[in-house]
Amino acid sequence: MNNDIDVKALPTPCYIVDERLLIKNLETLNKVQERTGCNILLALKGFSMFSVFPTVGKYLKGITSSSLFEARLGYERMGKEVHIYAPAYIDEEFDEIVKYCDHIVFNSFDQWKRFKDKVKNAGKKIECGIRVNPEYSEIETPIYNPCYKYSRLGVTLPNFKPDELDGIDGLHFHTMCEQNSDTLERTIKVVDEKFGEYIKKMKWINLGGGHHITRPDYDIETLVKSIMFFKDKYGVDVYLEPGEAIALNTGYLVAKVLDIVNNGMNIAILDTSAACHMPDVIEMPYRPNIIGAGKPEEYPHTYRFGGLTCLAGDIIGDYSFKEPLKPGDRLVFCDMAHYTMVKNNTFNGVNLPSIALYTEKDGIKIVKRFGYEDFEGRLS
Ligand SMILES: *Cc1c(COP(=O)(O)O)cnc(C)c1O
């Protein structure tokens, strides 16, 4: 964390995004747009901190959404292109979806047929697409792999209906997760072999998300080559819709030690929770980095970090420190901007972390605090 951010000035727990780091990512993404003429969208599923949407909108073409509510948030808070894809749309919501969206991607030809007339009668131009499943993915975690056996996501080649493409402007595929461009290059080969004759008839192709473009070892040249492959071969516009890559390494979760107990090892109980505030720690699972902490036993004082819920498995990981910890000490978890605020919950009645933003102009600003109303508001 940049040392001009005073961690002690923050309430805990608190997510804080450093706008300077976000801008750095956006500049990297914008360079890809400038070099290739492609369009990059922010996938709100991964990062929906709308107080930075004006900044994101300066660089990217718009957002993509997975639901009516995300579409509305993007429409109202950024006001650029609004795309949507969902495995199925809800009849009662579709009229409102049409109001906010300019691109709608369908998961099946039946869905396309079902909503075709509503699109036609929208009173504005909406470009529609079909999500295809190339049945090729290098993701090894099954819950993140859209190409596993019996996947419901996208149309496979045997199920593809070429005679129902009238009114369809684009094809969409999403088969990656936190991957480099070599994976994209291999995926594109399969997509091209299977769906090339249909891409020919399209205005655009959407390469989905999962591109880890802003990671230091990401190979941007191969990404550029892959985008240009589609543009040159088929004359189509190319969309990318990463979520994680926009917010990667731009934010932190600051928490405090509440108590230290011992049961065969030292266990620190924090005022945050894996289950409530960083669910991917349990779902992926992974062990987030903490500033100043080492691997277990690397430094003299090792602790297991647990959350303040009653869930036995609410464990963040084991860490070691040069000095012993004590109640009141603050901890800074790294890379906590994406898939945190959008996934957190109030399990056990645990409050949600505040949300703060650091900008060059204003320094630290607490943009949101949560309270009892947020817990009560979603119950009855
Ligand atoms: C999840 C998802 C994204 C964003 O993925 P990231 O891994 O955050 O880049 C984009 N498009 C679709 C269809 C998705 O399901």
Side-chain angles (χ1 to χ4, degrees), residues 43 45 85 131 172 174 177-178 208-211 241-245 339:
K45 184 183 76 185
Y85 158 79
R131 174 165 174 174
H172 174 291
H174 170 74
C177 180
E178 298 187 341
H211 315 277
E241 47 178 33
E244 185 155 330
Y339 291 102

Side-chain angles (χ1 to χ4, degrees), residues 109 171 182 189 215 221 228 232 283 299 308 330 353 376:
F109 281 94
L171 293 187
D182 57 322
K189 212 164 154 268
R215 195 172 77 193
E221 294 312 310
M228 293 319 293
D232 293 342
E283 201 173 288
Y299 299 127
L308 76 171
R330 281 166 194 248
E376 191 199 29

